[in-house]
Amino acid sequence: MTTQPQHWQTLWINVNIATMTEGGNGYGEIKAGALAISDNKIVWLGKQSELPSFDDAAVNVIDGQGKWLTPGLIDCHTHLVFGGNRANEFEMRLQGKSYQEIAEAGGGIVSTVKATRAASEEELFQSALPRLKALHQQGVTTVEVKSGYGLDVDTEIKMLKVAGKLAQALPVTVKRTFLGAHALPVEYKDNPEGYIDLVCEQMLPQVAQQNLADTVDVFCENIGFNIKQTERVFASAKKHNLAIKVHAEQLSDLGGTKLAAQYNALSSDHVEFLSEEGVKAMKAADMTAVLLPGAFYFLRETQLPPIKALRAQGVPMAIATDANPGSSPICSLQLMLNMACTLFRLTPAEALAGVTCHGAKALGLRDTKGQLAVGYDADIAMWDISQPAELCYQFGVNPLSALYQNGKKVI
C-alpha cells in the first residue's frame, strides 16, 4: 500500500481523531490531526503539523472544523430479522402476569417463531430495514445479524437471506450468524436431541453450502441447550469451517464459555454469571466478552457481568444492542454506550472501544475494522462533539455529522 501524497484521494484536516487502536491507552487521541485515504483504506494519519506536502488540486480536502473522527461503530450482536413484535407481552408483564402465564397464552419466543415462519422474505426484509436504518443513522457501519426465530430449515435459511439483502440495501457491512440452536420449537419440545440432530445434520450443512453465515451461535443455558448439545453444534460448525460464538452464562453458570474457549470461539455474549475460571479460559483463548446492557436493563436483571475480573485478565469487552423483540427491543448503540457506563460502570473509553476495536474483534474483523490506523478500512464517523466522552454521556441528540463507509460519504 502506498502512502505517497500524490496517490491520496481524500484528506481530512482540522480534525481530532480517536483512533481506538487496540491495546492503546484511552481513545488513542490525536488532537489537531489529519487523516488521508486511498482505495477505501486509511493511508496516513497524524498531527496536521506533520502532514507531508500534497497537491491540493488532486486531493479532495475536507475541513473538519475541529470535529472528532472515530471508527464507524460496530454492533456485534443483534437479532434484527424477526416477524411480529411482543409489545403485548411487555404490557402483560407490567400487569403482573408471570413468564409461564405469558407462555401459556402463546407468548414468549414461540410467538416470534410463529410470526417469523408466517412472514415472507419480503415482509421480514421490510420490517428489519427500519431497525438497521436506525443503527446506521447513529454511526453504525458494521452489524452482526443472527437467525434463530425460524427453528426449522426453511425459515432459518430465509432469515439469513434477508440479512444478506439488508447488506445490499444500506451501506453497512453485515456479518451473518446462524443461531438455529436458539430455543426448542414446539414440534420438538419433548425431543431436544432430535432437534439438535436437525440443526447439525440438515440446517448447518445447507447454511454452509449456500454460504449464508460467517459464524454459528448457540444459546447454552438452562432454558436453552445443555453443554453436550452445545458441543455437538460447535463440532458441526468446525466441520463446516464456520467460526463460533456463544450466548452463555446469562442466567446461570453452565460452563458454556469454557466450552467455547476450547473451540477457539470469537466471543461469549451476556456473561453475567461467568466465573473467574471462565474469564481465564476466555483470556487463554483470546476471546471477546460481549456485554449486552440493553437486555440487562429491559429484563431488570441484578447480576452484573464480572467487569473487574474481565479487566484484571485483560479480556476485551465489546458492547452491543442485542436488538430483539423479547428482551432488548432497542436499536440505539448510542444508548448502549450510556448504559454500559451507568449500569456496568465502564469508563467512556472502555465503552467506545466496545463498539469499535473490540466489537470488530468479536466478529473476527480485528485486522480491517474498528480502528483508525494505516491499512484499515475507511469506515469513519465524524461527530460534532468537544470530547469523545460525550458519545457516552448524552443520548437522544444525535451528534453524528457525517458517516463514511469504505471512504464513501453515506450520511
Side-chain angles (χ1 to χ4, degrees), residues 275-317:
S275 67
E276 182 88 26
E277 197 182 350
V279 173
K280 287 177 178 172
M282 289 190 81
K283 176 62 177 175
D286 195 26
M287 287 170 67
T288 301
V290 179
L291 309 180
L292 304 169
F296 179 89
Y297 157 81
F298 196 78
L299 296 173
R300 293 186 295 182
E301 297 288 359
T302 54
Q303 174 81 22
L304 288 162
I307 304 296
K308 283 183 182 174
L310 291 165
R311 266 192 201 123
Q313 290 294 330
V315 174
M317 293 178 281

Side-chain angles (χ1 to χ4, degrees), residues 211-232:
N211 199 26
L212 292 174
D214 307 285
T215 46
V216 174
D217 196 349
V218 179
F219 185 36
C220 180
E221 195 53 80
N222 287 319
I223 60 168
F225 297 94
N226 66 31
I227 286 289
K228 283 187 176 175
Q229 292 158 352
T230 300
E231 182 156 27
R232 287 183 61 197

Side-chain angles (χ1 to χ4, degrees), residues 20-26 353 357-358 366 371:
M20 304 315 297
T21 314
E22 203 177 325
N25 295 320
C357 58
H358 296 158
R366 70 190 300 174
Q371 302 179 44

